[in-house]
Amino acid sequence: MSWVVLHFIGIISYAASGAFVALEAEYSFIGVYALGLTTSFGGALVRNLIIGVPVSELWDHSTILTVFTTLTIIVLLPLKWINHWKRWSLFFDSIGLASFALQGAMSAKEVYYDDLGVMVLASMFTGVGGGMIRDILAARKPLALKEEIHAILTILCAICIWLGWSSPLQLTLIVLVVMALRMSAIRYQWRLHLPCNLKRASKPQMHLGILGKNSIGESSYEKGEQRLTAKPLQNGRAKA
């Protein structure tokens, strides 16, 4: 699978993620287009402002056509398709994270050459900026601010571009590695052992399957509470 195909899959997945967040928030079709476009172009817009490139260079005809076609199809599809998207959203969203982060780093390298700091900033904002703006518009806590893996993977992408990885084969390999690392981090709940994370790590967490639905319907605490409050009947009256 070539880099171009993976990049367009990333564009489609980011546009779709914004659209489905809008549908979950019960927005109208205007909200679907607004959040879809924001997710697709919001991070790149911030990136261009950072590296001093005109925003007008974002308006690539093939990219715009891909985004609008994706959003139009989602608007016309039945709502039951949202459940199918949820099952595979992590997989495709990981492709989008990697391809957008790489695109941001390559754009910064064209302007600042070997300035790693600017490349990291451009990669980070391109990879997670659109999703953060999308979550804010949907009144949700931005996922990128709750998980370190997003920022770490964008930094990894920037370092690879800084080292000179630019061939389609190398870019494809980076995308596959980022996908594997992100899905593994969420599956096994990898976190940095920092003081701010110790309290959260000590709390029991319900695990969500990567490609499946939630396998835990109720926590053990809730089940135990129901057993305590349930009173068996004897002779038509509740036992004291």
Side-chain angles (χ1 to χ4, degrees):
M1 185 178 294
S2 68
W3 155 249
V4 176
V5 174
L6 286 173
H7 184 58
F8 272 93
I9 292 177
I11 294 172
I12 293 172
S13 65
Y14 263 30
S17 68
F20 285 122
V21 168
L23 291 175
E24 290 178 353
E26 298 182 353
Y27 288 172
S28 67
F29 75 96
I30 299 297
V32 171
Y33 280 96
L35 266 65
L37 290 169
T38 298
T39 310
S40 301
F41 296 104
L45 189 150
V46 177
R47 175 202 69 208
N48 281 18
L49 293 176
I50 291 175
I51 64 178
V53 174
V55 177
S56 58
E57 293 193 4
L58 294 177
W59 313 136
D60 177 69
H61 294 293
S62 59
T63 302
I64 294 176
L65 179 61
T66 301
V67 172
F68 270 99
T69 302
T70 302
L71 297 177
T72 301
I73 292 175
I74 292 175
V75 167
L76 298 177
L77 283 177
L79 291 178
K80 64 181 181 180
W81 283 86
I82 297 180
N83 294 327
H84 295 285
W85 166 258
K86 288 179 179 179
R87 296 175 64 87
W88 296 94
S89 61
L90 177 61
F91 177 79
F92 291 109
D93 191 64
S94 299
I95 298 177
L97 175 66
S99 63
F100 274 52
L102 289 172
Q103 190 67 41
M106 289 187 292
S107 299
K109 188 172 184 178
E110 293 178 359
V111 180
Y112 288 90
Y113 303 103
D114 291 331
D115 193 330
L116 179 59
V118 177
M119 292 169 64
V120 168
L121 287 176
S123 178
M124 188 177 301
F125 277 103
T126 310
V128 303
M132 291 175 60
I133 300 173
R134 172 204 66 200
D135 290 340
I136 292 173
L137 292 177
R140 307 195 322 176
K141 293 181 179 179
L143 181 62
L145 298 182
K146 296 193 295 182
E147 297 180 356
E148 302 97 345
I149 190 64
H150 290 74
I152 293 174
L153 293 178
T154 57
I155 294 173
L156 175 64
C157 292
I159 292 175
C160 291
I161 298 300
W162 178 67
L163 292 175
W165 291 35
S166 58
S167 69
L169 179 60
Q170 290 173 330
L171 296 177
T172 301
L173 178 61
I174 296 172
V175 172
L176 296 178
V177 170
V178 168
M179 289 169 52
L181 289 176
R182 189 191 177 205
M183 296 175 70
S184 298
I186 295 178
R187 173 65 176 83
Y188 298 106
Q189 299 180 0
W190 292 344
R191 296 194 63 84
L192 296 178
H193 294 286
L194 299 175
C196 61
N197 294 331
L198 295 179
K199 184 177 180 180
R200 185 189 305 180
S202 63
K203 296 180 179 180
Q205 297 179 353
M206 295 173 61
H207 172 66
L208 298 178
I210 290 181
L211 300 179
K213 296 181 179 180
N214 185 2
S215 60
I216 303 178
E218 297 175 299
S219 66
S220 58
Y221 175 81
E222 292 173 342
K223 291 181 179 180
E225 186 179 22
Q226 290 179 359
R227 286 195 297 267
L228 290 176
T229 55
K231 298 179 180 181
L233 295 177
Q234 288 187 353
N235 297 328
R237 298 180 62 183
K239 182 179 179 180

